[in-house]
Amino acid sequence: MAARVPFLVLAIATSAALAAAGARAASAAWRIDPAHTSVGFTVDAVGFPRTKGTFSKFFGKISLDFARPERSSVAFRVSAASVDVGSPSFDDYLRTDAFFDVAKFPDIDFVSTSVRMVDPTHAEVTGDLSLRGVTRPITIEVAVDRPPSRDARRLGFTATGSIPRLAYGMNAGFPAISNDVVLTVTTAAIAP
Amino acid sequence: MTARSARWNVATRLLHWLSAAAIVAALGLGVWMVRFVDDAAGKFDLYQRHKTLGAAVFALAVARLLVRAATRGPDWPEAMSRARRAAAGAVHGALYASILATAATGYAMVSTSPIPLPVALPGGLSVPNLLAPDFAASERWKFAHLACAIALGALAAAHAGAATWHRFVDRDDVLSRMGFGWRA
């Protein structure tokens, strides 16, 4: 897993803003633990069982600011070709231009633009999702396994969201295959 | 007429049994993949195999019709009544029709499906989807495919039942002349 991770410049705006404010030390870059990370999705279809898949190649960084959580950020890059729904021929089909079109659009990116704490263990993260060359804002619900604190060495996150695939030009199969792709990312972040 | 009529020509006999095997496999796989496979990945793979198998059923049926048109089959057994000959002829005609209709409705539901996934053929080839994607139409073709497949299954069962009847009740050679084995 994550054997060949692409490089990603993340949260440039946030970092720049923090640096400008002289608050760089307040925000720390946490590392994603690939062994404890799963990037999964499910999609429903008419007359067909729910398709459940994962992406095995991804790269992500989480920047946490405990004092001002809204200054935290997250960036994730997923290799579209690493899609795995449990059948090599089905995977190959999903890689074609009907769905992910991995030849043209190898990466799926999410870069957060704002973080809003709902309660001590829940946040609403809004960001730009780039899929098939289309970048659109989406909001992801993030649950933390315990209230984040400065002395924590590991934190578990569960992020869920719904991606309206038609908005990204992934039209194949609609309406037999639902517009809504439910995204579930579970990850463990390791303190710097 | 001699006591033992001629067999069907070898091309017809080969095509008959290949068709029978392909049809039984396609019907069985069709029921299995729709009713008893619940995971998306397994279902996806079986659907693709079923579609390729359906293309084989269609090709075999066309080949049989061509051979049938170009050659003459053996005569009816003398003991067979006119009514039974008519019934057998009707079932044979309906069998051919239901085979072609099941394959054609299967192709139509694949071709009109909003999911662009053509019927795969050996050698990396595929059957082009000539009908425009239309979800409502593909759902109607799906129903028609099911109806044709049920009719095909019923006719095939009647056909096999009649062959068995000829063999064990009439004790004539209707079954053996479609075979390759030793004949008395």
Side-chain angles (χ1 to χ4, degrees), chain B residues 6-104:
Chain B
R7 290 182 195 265
W8 288 86
N9 64 70
V10 70
T12 297
R13 280 180 281 147
L14 274 172
L15 288 167
H16 171 271
W17 290 108
L18 281 173
S19 295
I23 289 165
V24 167
L27 286 173
L29 179 53
V31 172
W32 175 254
M33 71 188 192
V34 170
R35 298 296 299 273
F36 299 106
V37 178
D38 291 330
D39 74 295
K43 211 160 181 131
F44 178 90
D45 286 346
L46 293 178
Y47 275 35
Q48 306 324 310
R49 281 179 207 169
H50 177 80
K51 286 155 66 176
T52 301
L53 198 49
V57 168
F58 179 76
L60 286 166
V62 170
R64 279 190 72 194
L65 284 168
L66 292 174
V67 170
R68 183 88 194 247
T71 60
R72 192 174 177 278
D75 294 321
W76 298 108
E78 278 180 30
M80 238 176 121
S81 69
R82 290 176 69 89
R84 282 188 67 193
R85 291 178 191 193
V91 169
H92 293 162
L95 256 177
Y96 281 119
S98 69
I99 293 166
L100 296 176
T102 305

Side-chain angles (χ1 to χ4, degrees), chain A residues 41-52 90 93-94 98-100 163-166 170-182, chain B residues 40 44 48 113-117 135 138-139 142:
Chain A
F41 67 89
T42 59
V43 61
D44 287 328
V46 179
F48 201 78
R50 175 172 294 172
T51 300
K52 298 173 190 166
F90 199 175
Y93 182 53
L94 292 176
F99 292 94
F100 290 106
I163 301 171
R165 65 189 183 96
L166 299 185
M170 194 190 280
N171 304 323
F174 184 80
I177 303 172
S178 167
N179 177 29
D180 303 310
V181 178
V182 177
Chain B
F44 178 90
Q48 306 324 310
S113 166
I115 305 163
L117 193 49
F135 183 50
S138 90
E139 291 294 297
K142 187 191 286 182

Side-chain angles (χ1 to χ4, degrees), chain A residues 37-42 52-55 159 161 163 181-186:
Chain A
T37 301
S38 150
V39 180
F41 67 89
T42 59
K52 298 173 190 166
T54 57
F55 293 94
I163 301 171
V181 178
V182 177
L183 178 74
T184 306
V185 179
T186 56

